[in-house]
């Protein structure tokens, strides 16, 4: 067996510094801080799953903690990425305002995602030639930050689920809602062995760079963090996990009129957070709070949920509209017709959010999620990011699956559970998915084809590979496509024409 297979590939073996808690305990702790300081940290290593812009930014930031940065392991999902890393300087570069900062010291592993079709995982084990490969690791993971896009979380997490245990902590950094519930249902169905979860909302602007291990920090933002209550530690009928009145299999009851501005009128009182943080929860949270560039702040679960829902409302408007208009974020501003669409969408989004049972005990929810206030937030973000291409538009242009299922799709599903029909959002989901399919089909058409009678050495490429993709964020793949065929036919730039039609 490959000697590296047990523990991935380590940058250095001396990176396990002594526990943060070397001091001997003397008597009972006097205050909360002392209580937490007395908790032992067994493993400081932080694994980062997903090495896109967010993953690189987080790993770079963690390695930049001035004193005693934590050991960080990047989990790649493709062999090419591992090879590229091994052949590179083994540094992550963050470009801020044109200046590059290189950080070294990350270890790497390779875990192949388990593909899923129609919601079911496909067992690939029989297809594998070996159970061991360079970069494979079976070591336990105590702290994990999941930075993959929402639609890829299940397939990326599945091959490492055996390494996560009931005391591990997983931080989810995805756009949209519903990822955590999906992970509990599909990956960790048993609450007794389920790890702890933390959720983060990232507002940093990060752009792709030409180099694979470089990210551009285009806009400073914040990361709002919150530790979610674990089912092991709370009453599952408490408001944070309410019994849904219209959930499948449940006898439908009409929604009671609520008055959230008067807490307690029709909702249960929130459950007080009783469980103290585990050492891994506290360690990961504290470590992230120590990184100035992340701008991380901790919130209670109800506060975090409301921040998530505000961000969701913004994403529900800017992301699909920029896809349909195929334009930058600012394009939705100062346009009478687009404003009508925004208002119709927000009317549904606001109603669903204001009806969520988990918010019923919180004062001012009616005001905070009023459609007019949400519109002000959306317009503010669209204005502040007017020159940006939204993440969803970038996904569609590149032929990737969008996060629509976790954004407007989540509103539609929640609406169904609550008895609210969200026609406008349903239409948005399918317009964006339809557009995504159309663009992917166009990109697939970019596969070079042979046209007309050719002699043995001649070949023509459809020009669409180079031109149809221009300015659509996928020119890299189109060019690579064209280049690979050029190489395979041995035709160079000064050979016979390779592009026609
Ligand atoms: C806020 C936002 C729409 C700005 O581009 C961003 O969350 C995105 O691109 O998804």
């Amino acid at each position: 067996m490959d000697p590296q297979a047990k523990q991935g590939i380590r940058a250095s073996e001396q990176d396990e510094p002594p526990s943060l808690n070397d001091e001997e305990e003397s008597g009972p702790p006097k205050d909360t801080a002392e209580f937490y300081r007395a908790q032992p940290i067994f493993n400081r290593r932080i694994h980062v799953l997903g090495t896109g812009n967010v993953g690189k930014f987080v790993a770079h930031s963690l390695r930049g903690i001035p004193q005693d940065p934590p050991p960080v392991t990047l989990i790649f999902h493709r062999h090419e990425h591992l090879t590229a890393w091994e052949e590179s300087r083994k540094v992550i570069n963050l470009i801020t305002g044109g200046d590059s900062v290189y950080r070294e010291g990350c270890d790497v592993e390779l875990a192949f995602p388990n593909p899923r079709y129609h919601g079911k995982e496909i067992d690939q084990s029989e297809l594998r030639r070996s159970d061991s490969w360079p970069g494979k690791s079976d070591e336990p993971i105590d702290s994990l930050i999941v930075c993959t896009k929402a639609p890829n979380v299940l397939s990326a997490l599945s091959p490492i689920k055996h390494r996560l245990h009931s005391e591990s902590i997983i931080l989810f950094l995805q756009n949209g809602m519903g990822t955590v519930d999906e992970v509990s249902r599909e990956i960790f169905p048993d609450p007794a062995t389920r790890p702890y979860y933390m959720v983060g909302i990232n507002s940093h602007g990060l752009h792709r760079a030409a180099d694979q291990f470089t990210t551009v920090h285009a806009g400073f933002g914040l990361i709002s963090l919150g530790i979610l209550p674990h089912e092991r530690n709370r009453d599952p009928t408490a408001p944070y996990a309410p019994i849904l009145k219209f959930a499948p299999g449940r006898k439908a009851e009409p929604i009671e009129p609520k008055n959230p501005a008067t807490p307690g009128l029709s909702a249960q009182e929130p459950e007080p957070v009783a469980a103290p943080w585990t050492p891994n929860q506290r360690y990961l949270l504290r470590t992230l709070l120590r990184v100035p560039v992340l701008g991380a702040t901790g919130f209670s679960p109800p506060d975090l949920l409301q921040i998530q829902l505000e961000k969701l409302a913004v994403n529900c408007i800017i992301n699909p509209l920029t896809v349909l208009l195929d334009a930058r974020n600012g394009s939705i501003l100062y346009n009478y017709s687009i404003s009508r669409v925004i208002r119709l969408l927000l009317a549904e989004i606001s109603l669903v959010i204001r009806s969520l049972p988990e918010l019923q005990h919180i004062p001012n929810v009616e005001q905070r999620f009023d459609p007019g206030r949400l519109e002000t937030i959306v317009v503010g973000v669209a204005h502040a990011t007017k020159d940006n291409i939204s993440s969803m538009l970038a996904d569609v242009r590149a032929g990737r699956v969008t996060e629509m299922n976790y954004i407007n799709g989540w509103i539609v599903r929640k609406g169904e559970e609550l008895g609210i029909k969200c026609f406008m959002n349903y239409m948005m989901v399918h317009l964006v998915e339809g557009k995504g399919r159309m663009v992917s089909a166009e990109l697939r058409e970019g596969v070079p084809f042979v046209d007309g009678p050719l002699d043995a050495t001649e070949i023509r490429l459809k020009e669409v590979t180079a031109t149809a993709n221009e300015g659509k964020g996928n020119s890299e793949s189109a060019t690579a496509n064209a280049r690979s065929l050029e190489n395979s036919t041995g035709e160079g730039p000064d050979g016979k024409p390779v592009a026609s039609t």
Side-chain angles (χ1 to χ4, degrees):
M1 188 170 134
D2 187 329
Q4 287 168 340
K6 243 194 196 145
Q7 52 175 30
I9 299 174
R10 291 276 160 95
S12 144
E13 290 305 325
Q14 296 159 14
D15 55 12
E16 297 291 359
S19 148
L20 290 182
N21 176 44
D22 283 342
E23 287 163 33
E24 282 297 304
E25 265 188 76
S26 51
K30 289 187 198 65
D31 57 21
T32 317
E34 206 174 302
F35 167 80
Y36 279 117
R37 252 178 241 129
Q39 306 295 308
I41 306 296
F42 299 108
N43 183 5
R44 297 178 68 235
R45 181 168 295 278
I46 298 175
H47 285 75
V48 176
L49 180 64
T51 49
N53 288 321
V54 177
K56 279 179 282 197
F57 173 58
V58 169
H60 185 277
S61 309
L62 287 169
R63 288 300 301 165
I65 294 180
Q67 279 179 355
D68 200 10
V72 172
T73 299
L74 306 173
I75 306 180
F76 293 126
H77 67 278
R78 281 167 64 178
H79 195 262
E80 299 91 288
H81 294 171
L82 183 76
T83 314
W85 176 264
E86 289 300 317
E87 288 169 359
S88 72
R89 289 169 55 199
K90 300 193 176 106
V91 290
I92 300 178
N93 176 17
L94 187 73
I95 303 178
T96 312
D99 295 328
S100 284
V101 176
Y102 295 91
R103 296 249 160 89
E104 55 187 6
C106 285
D107 303 306
V108 290
E109 290 175 5
L110 180 60
F112 298 110
N114 290 342
R116 301 178 69 86
Y117 291 102
H118 299 286
K120 288 277 160 271
E121 193 171 304
I122 307 297
D123 185 7
Q124 298 259 310
S125 52
E126 285 183 11
L127 299 177
R128 293 218 176 94
R129 266 183 260 138
S130 156
D131 275 348
S132 171
W133 53 83
K136 186 183 178 203
S137 173
D138 288 315
E139 280 195 349
I141 297 176
D142 289 317
S143 303
L144 176 72
I145 305 182
V146 182
C147 302
T148 55
K149 291 226 166 204
N152 304 329
V153 168
L154 293 181
S155 56
L157 207 48
S158 175
I160 56 168
K161 66 180 175 199
H162 63 288
R163 301 171 59 192
L164 291 148
H165 49 88
S166 59
E167 289 302 310
S168 303
I169 172 87
I170 308 179
L171 165 61
F172 293 94
L173 278 179
Q174 282 70 39
N175 262 342
M177 307 277 294
T179 311
V180 168
D181 295 338
E182 240 179 30
V183 167
S184 290
R185 196 179 62 235
E186 301 290 330
I187 310 274
F188 302 112
D190 181 4
T193 52
R194 184 180 298 159
Y196 289 95
Y197 299 149
M198 204 193 282
V199 169
I201 304 152
N202 168 40
S203 64
H204 289 275
L206 300 162
H207 292 176
R208 199 182 276 225
D211 173 71
Q212 198 177 341
F213 303 113
T214 298
T215 287
V216 181
H217 193 189
F220 275 87
L222 300 169
I223 295 192
S224 311
L225 297 169
I227 292 174
L228 298 189
H230 199 294
E231 217 169 298
R232 283 198 295 267
N233 299 334
R234 70 191 166 87
D235 169 8
T237 59
Y240 203 77
I243 296 167
L244 295 161
K245 295 200 168 105
F246 286 89
R250 211 158 249 295
K251 194 171 152 279
E253 296 161 29
I255 300 175
E256 293 162 30
K258 295 188 177 73
N259 184 357
T262 317
L265 199 69
S266 62
Q268 283 170 276
E269 284 297 314
E271 179 198 22
V273 179
W277 291 343
T278 67
N280 288 333
Q281 284 178 321
R282 174 184 158 266
Y283 167 68
L284 186 61
L285 185 61
R286 265 181 52 101
T287 306
L288 291 163
L289 297 181
R290 277 171 69 204
V291 191
V293 69
L294 291 181
T297 318
F299 290 91
S300 69
D303 283 340
L304 191 85
L305 177 63
Q306 292 177 82
I307 299 171
Q308 258 185 306
L309 291 166
E310 271 176 4
K311 174 101 195 293
L312 180 80
V314 169
N315 288 132
C316 278
I317 304 300
I318 299 183
N319 294 30
L321 286 180
T322 52
V323 168
L324 297 178
L325 299 170
D326 194 22
R328 290 175 192 267
N329 294 356
S331 64
I332 68 164
L333 300 168
Y334 314 118
N335 183 321
Y336 178 84
S337 301
I338 302 293
S339 298
R340 302 306 98 185
V341 177
I342 293 177
R343 285 183 189 165
L344 284 170
L345 287 167
L346 283 177
E348 290 177 0
I349 293 163
S350 163
L351 183 59
V352 169
I353 294 176
R354 285 179 292 121
S355 307
L356 287 173
E358 50 269 60
L359 295 186
Q360 296 310 306
H361 62 277
I362 299 172
N364 291 335
V365 162
E366 284 287 297
Q367 287 78 6
R368 185 166 179 170
F369 295 100
D370 172 80
R373 184 172 179 273
L374 292 181
E375 187 179 334
T376 310
I377 298 175
V378 169
V379 168
V381 175
H383 196 267
T385 62
K386 62 181 187 304
D387 297 325
N388 292 7
I389 288 183
S390 74
S391 54
M392 195 173 281
L393 177 55
D395 286 340
V396 168
R397 285 178 172 182
R400 291 189 291 261
V401 179
T402 70
E403 295 179 316
M404 209 50 187
N405 205 19
Y406 302 84
I407 298 180
N408 303 68
W410 186 87
I411 290 289
V412 174
R413 285 195 304 279
K414 276 287 153 191
E416 283 296 314
E417 286 171 9
L418 295 162
I420 302 166
K421 295 265 175 247
C422 297
F423 298 112
M424 300 304 296
N425 282 274
Y426 183 81
M427 189 171 80
M428 274 291 157
V429 171
H430 288 283
L431 280 173
V432 169
E433 288 194 348
K435 169 113 187 186
R437 289 205 181 102
M438 198 185 91
V439 174
S440 331
E442 272 175 22
L443 292 176
R444 277 200 305 277
E445 260 190 50
V447 173
F449 73 95
V450 177
D451 190 14
L454 298 168
D455 68 33
T457 53
E458 191 186 24
I459 195 158
R460 285 185 230 145
L461 302 181
K462 199 179 177 196
E463 211 162 33
V464 70
T465 49
T467 52
N469 303 319
E470 226 173 61
K472 286 195 174 181
N474 54 11
S475 46
E476 264 174 51
S477 59
T479 326
N481 229 346
R483 234 185 268 128
S484 73
L485 195 80
E486 276 175 40
N487 292 342
S488 70
T489 58
E491 289 184 330
D494 49 359
K496 291 191 175 182
V498 290
S500 67
T501 70

